[in-house]
Amino acid sequence: MAAQIYSKKEVKVKVSPNLADYQETHASFNWQEASKDVEWFPNGGLNAAYNAVDRHIKTARKDKIALIWEGTNGEKKQFTFHDLYKLSNKFANLIKGKGAEKGDRVFIFLPRIPYLYASFLAILKNGSIAGLLFSAFQEQALLDRLADSGAKILITNTELSKRLENIRKDLPELKEILTVDTAEFEAELGKQSEEFTAIATDPADFAFMLYTSGTTGKPKGVVHQHYAIVAQHATARYVLDIHDEDIYWCTADPGWVTGIAYTILGNWSNGATSVIHEGRFDPDKWFQILADYKVNVWYTAPTAIRMLMGAGDDLPKKYDLSPLRHILSVGEPLNPEAIHWSIKVLGLPFHDTWWQTETGCISIANYPAMDIKIGSMGKPFPGIGAAIVDDLGKTIEDGKEGNIALKPGWPSMMKAIWQRQEKYDSYFVNGWYLSGDHGYRDTDGYFWFIGRSDDVIKTSGERIGPFEVESALIAHPAVIEAGVIGKPNELRGSIIKAFVVLEKDSLQKVKDPQEAQKLKDELSQFVKKHLAGHAYPREIEFIDKLPKTRSGKIMRRILKARELGQPIGDTSTLEEY
Ligand code: WT7
């Protein structure tokens, strides 16, 4: 079936796009040229945070609003680039005084408050490595990440710090916990100098790390280098199409890579006035923010879009959304209905973008000046080579399904998996970086997403490893074993479904349906409480036995096929079934 095309020819251009012609830019683009759009130190050093904020202090952007912040309870604050510069310098002096050195891991565990952004910048300016922890994380998720990274300092608040009480003893390398909402902290921060000279880090020095999930094992630390700023700058310019006069809102949390690359680095490097909303998703509030702050460029995610659609078409009519010029989506497949809806309700199509924690910047995208094939992820970013390859890394002809692969060499390709060289190496096959996603390319060069090639779950756009959830379930005394899959869901893309094998006594108990429901609720709560608020199974099914390979690996593929009523496929490696 031919794809529906949203042609850009008929669109009245409000502002000429930064990327006027995809083919032309694709042909002429090179990273060396793009590197000149950021500022290098005379000795060849490059610091990402210096580029996001400090360099603007010498220009007319100094007193421009960098951050428009709205808190959970409606509090409002604004920070100019100069304000951010001074605040992050104070933070840098403070953590330096606490012993943070170059290469030390300094982690942030905070809601989306201004101190999160200032401390992130500070850590990078100090040459330390920033680690981000999503505020929904609980004990187990925190322990895994802080222990593996050997974090030295943690920046958090009083409420969230309580989640560390039981695990602190297991974190010998963690020397300092700073709680930013205390009077002592305020007093200490207040004493710091507003001047700090950003370290002239080497472009290849580590800047930040994020833990992300694969199929097996604990989450792994994806590490990015300072040089990544070159790619984040270029993509914010050409894909987000940020112009100096824009008000820009990216709804992502910095606990995920989108919130780092495009609510801190790429956006500010381009000098964009950026909106941050601390509170949770709420349709009314979101439309209100778009209207109140006259947002021009909006970057969000499919689950949020579907929830906005679900709120009805009358709601957006209450707001003046006419300042919107360019809208984008990332994180999971963007359904055609979402684009049709946005055209109808907002007068604009959502532009899908594809990338990953590991790629560090938008890698495949739809551009303002390029026709959209509705349902496609678009074309590779100029400067990034993309292809569909087989499992041996051989390119596959157009139209055929295979692995979505990128040619290494773009500046924000992950620099390491923290202390796991083998894991890092396993991403590369025959000179290609393999994404773990399946898709195809059509004869016009557009890429189409099919699905993951592994068991990674995307729920509401967030990436969850089944192993983490299984491990959390097993920690409950009633559970012997668990197998976890993503079950397709219209609103959230997928929900987490757990198949659980119970110990004897519980098995007896759950013969009573009421008891069964009680235990399911208890297990969901248990995961929520110990692992993370967003990574719990919304559906649980008790089963006698999990399908396993002869070597004892849970075959989630079979659980999934059974759940969806699909053929089970090759079971030759199955234990007995
Ligand atoms: C995985 C990466 C970096 C942005 C946030 C996600 C899925 C991402 C799309 C898209 C279909 C998408 C892929 C990818 N994904 N964008 N436009 N269409 N799927 O980063 O948490 O590392 O997840 O998200 O499966 O591998 P992440």
Side-chain angles (χ1 to χ4, degrees):
M1 199 183 74
Q4 262 183 298
I5 293 183
Y6 181 91
S7 166
K8 296 288 175 71
K9 284 193 200 85
E10 291 123 51
V11 179
K12 263 200 247 118
V13 180
K14 284 196 203 167
V15 182
S16 6
N18 290 329
L19 189 154
D21 183 307
Y22 176 80
Q23 295 305 348
E24 230 169 71
T25 308
H26 190 261
S28 63
F29 188 94
N30 70 74
W31 288 112
Q32 208 147 25
E33 265 318 293
S35 296
K36 294 180 188 156
D37 291 338
V38 301
E39 191 181 318
W40 297 70
F41 293 120
N43 67 350
L46 179 71
N47 188 297
Y50 174 90
N51 272 285
V53 171
D54 296 16
R55 66 162 156 156
H56 303 313
I57 304 311
K58 298 173 289 182
T59 73
R61 284 184 181 145
K62 179 178 173 188
D63 296 316
K64 182 180 172 182
I65 303 294
L67 171 60
I68 298 176
W69 179 80
E70 187 167 325
T72 308
N73 304 317
E75 321 89 290
K76 292 177 180 151
K77 282 186 188 159
Q78 295 198 339
F79 296 79
T80 61
F81 280 101
H82 195 206
D83 294 334
L84 264 189
Y85 168 82
K86 290 184 288 189
L87 185 60
S88 56
N89 282 348
K90 284 176 155 189
F91 259 97
N93 284 314
L94 190 145
I95 60 165
K96 192 176 177 190
K98 296 283 177 195
E101 287 173 25
K102 186 156 184 264
D104 281 345
R105 278 75 63 210
V106 179
F107 272 59
I108 305 171
F109 183 36
L110 284 174
R112 289 184 293 278
I113 57 172
Y115 279 179
L116 185 165
Y117 301 87
S119 58
F120 180 88
L121 294 164
I123 296 165
L124 269 64
K125 285 201 228 180
N126 189 48
S128 308
I129 305 168
L132 280 294
L133 298 164
F134 185 43
S135 54
F137 286 156
Q138 299 284 351
E139 268 169 29
Q140 190 61 49
L142 296 169
L143 177 62
D144 288 344
R145 288 157 177 82
L146 291 168
D148 183 73
S149 63
K152 189 172 185 181
I153 298 178
L154 178 69
I155 301 171
T156 183
N157 66 20
T158 310
E159 192 195 330
L160 294 174
S161 70
K162 291 186 191 132
R163 300 187 196 161
L164 287 129
E165 277 165 14
N166 296 326
I167 55 171
R168 181 81 203 254
K169 60 179 187 323
D170 303 316
L171 297 166
E173 290 170 90
L174 185 61
K175 297 286 182 279
E176 285 276 352
I177 297 181
L178 305 172
T179 43
V180 299
D181 55 346
T182 58
E184 298 95 280
F185 181 85
E186 277 299 339
E188 214 173 337
L189 187 68
K191 278 189 287 192
Q192 305 299 321
S193 160
E194 290 180 346
E195 291 308 320
F196 183 90
T197 307
I199 304 291
T201 36
D202 188 88
D205 280 344
F206 294 167
F208 67 89
M209 64 193 294
L210 274 170
Y211 278 79
T212 193
S213 303
T215 300
T216 53
K218 296 277 187 190
K220 49 192 192 283
V222 172
V223 192
H224 283 285
Q225 57 185 339
H226 280 270
Y227 185 43
I229 188 71
V230 171
Q232 287 142 1
H233 180 92
T235 46
R237 177 152 177 235
Y238 287 140
V239 186
L240 304 181
D241 196 40
I242 288 175
H243 289 65
D244 228 325
E245 60 282 9
D246 279 330
I247 307 289
Y248 160 79
W249 183 29
C250 168
T251 57
D253 187 279
W256 315 111
V257 72
T258 313
I260 295 178
Y262 301 111
T263 78
I264 305 178
L265 296 173
N267 54 313
W268 278 336
S269 175
N270 279 279
T273 297
S274 306
V275 175
I276 299 291
H277 174 232
E278 181 195 2
R280 295 169 71 101
F281 173 82
D282 173 74
D284 232 317
K285 187 76 213 172
W286 276 34
F287 284 124
Q288 192 193 331
I289 288 175
L290 290 171
D292 280 2
Y293 298 112
K294 301 186 168 48
V295 172
N296 311 115
V297 180
W298 182 35
Y299 196 16
T300 190
T303 295
I305 298 168
R306 289 189 290 263
M307 287 180 173
L308 292 175
M309 289 165 71
D313 291 355
D314 285 340
L315 185 62
K317 287 192 192 127
K318 284 177 29 194
Y319 299 96
D320 176 12
L321 303 171
S322 62
L324 277 176
R325 186 190 88 239
H326 186 42
I327 59 178
L328 309 97
S329 164
V330 66
E332 35 169 340
L334 178 66
N335 9 9
E337 301 79 61
I339 301 183
H340 294 307
W341 174 82
S342 74
I343 294 170
K344 185 176 78 179
V345 173
L346 307 172
L348 299 167
F350 271 109
H351 290 68
D352 194 14
T353 67
W354 174 94
W355 57 296
Q356 307 178 293
T357 307
E358 292 90 335
T359 75
C361 76
I362 297 167
S363 315
I364 299 178
N366 288 284
Y367 307 85
M370 189 177 87
D371 289 352
I372 296 175
K373 286 199 188 185
I374 293 177
S376 150
M377 306 190 297
K379 293 190 182 186
F381 185 74
I384 300 184
I388 302 295
V389 305
D390 65 16
D391 291 345
L392 300 173
K394 269 185 52 197
T395 47
I396 290 181
E397 65 186 284
D398 287 342
K400 293 244 162 75
E401 175 176 350
N403 301 294
I404 301 176
L406 304 177
K407 197 85 204 153
W410 74 100
S412 64
M413 187 179 84
M414 61 171 172
K415 189 71 180 162
I417 297 288
W418 186 253
Q419 293 182 337
R420 289 174 70 186
Q421 185 64 39
E422 244 170 75
K423 187 88 206 171
Y424 183 81
D425 294 340
S426 73
Y427 277 89
F428 302 92
V429 177
N430 192 30
W432 289 99
Y433 161 83
L434 262 53
S435 66
D437 283 353
H438 267 200
Y440 68 92
R441 182 173 69 180
D442 68 20
T443 45
D444 296 323
Y446 283 78
F447 281 72
W448 298 75
F449 180 82
I450 294 177
R452 289 288 305 183
S453 61
D454 57 19
D455 295 332
V456 165
I457 302 165
K458 273 275 167 163
T459 178
S460 302
E462 275 147 18
R463 180 164 156 184
I464 311 276
F467 179 79
E468 266 192 285
V469 184
E470 288 159 3
S471 308
L473 282 164
I474 294 167
H476 189 283
V479 178
I480 296 181
E481 277 192 313
V484 164
I485 61 162
K487 176 178 176 178
N489 175 277
E490 264 194 28
L491 188 63
R492 295 174 194 279
S494 293
I495 55 160
I496 298 174
K497 168 148 192 180
F499 294 87
V500 171
V501 180
L502 293 174
E503 58 82 31
K504 225 170 55 272
D505 292 347
S506 309
L507 198 59
Q508 273 304 321
K509 250 189 170 169
V510 298
K511 287 194 175 136
D512 172 2
Q514 252 180 340
E515 288 294 328
Q517 193 51 49
K518 229 173 88 189
L519 184 58
K520 286 178 188 175
D521 293 344
E522 189 181 318
L523 291 176
S524 283
Q525 285 307 316
F526 184 81
V527 177
K528 232 182 193 178
K529 187 156 172 276
H530 292 282
L531 180 64
H534 65 292
Y536 69 96
R538 283 175 190 266
E539 252 182 55
I540 294 180
E541 186 175 325
F542 299 132
I543 59 171
D544 298 340
K545 198 165 180 252
L546 292 174
K548 286 193 192 157
T549 61
R550 287 194 196 98
S551 58
K553 261 187 16 203
I554 299 169
M555 292 190 84
R556 303 188 186 95
R557 169 172 74 77
I558 289 181
L559 289 172
K560 194 158 182 172
R562 213 163 54 177
E563 178 69 33
L564 304 179
Q566 288 168 350
I568 281 169
D570 179 19
T571 54
S572 57
T573 58
L574 202 59
E575 185 187 42
E576 69 199 70
Y577 192 65

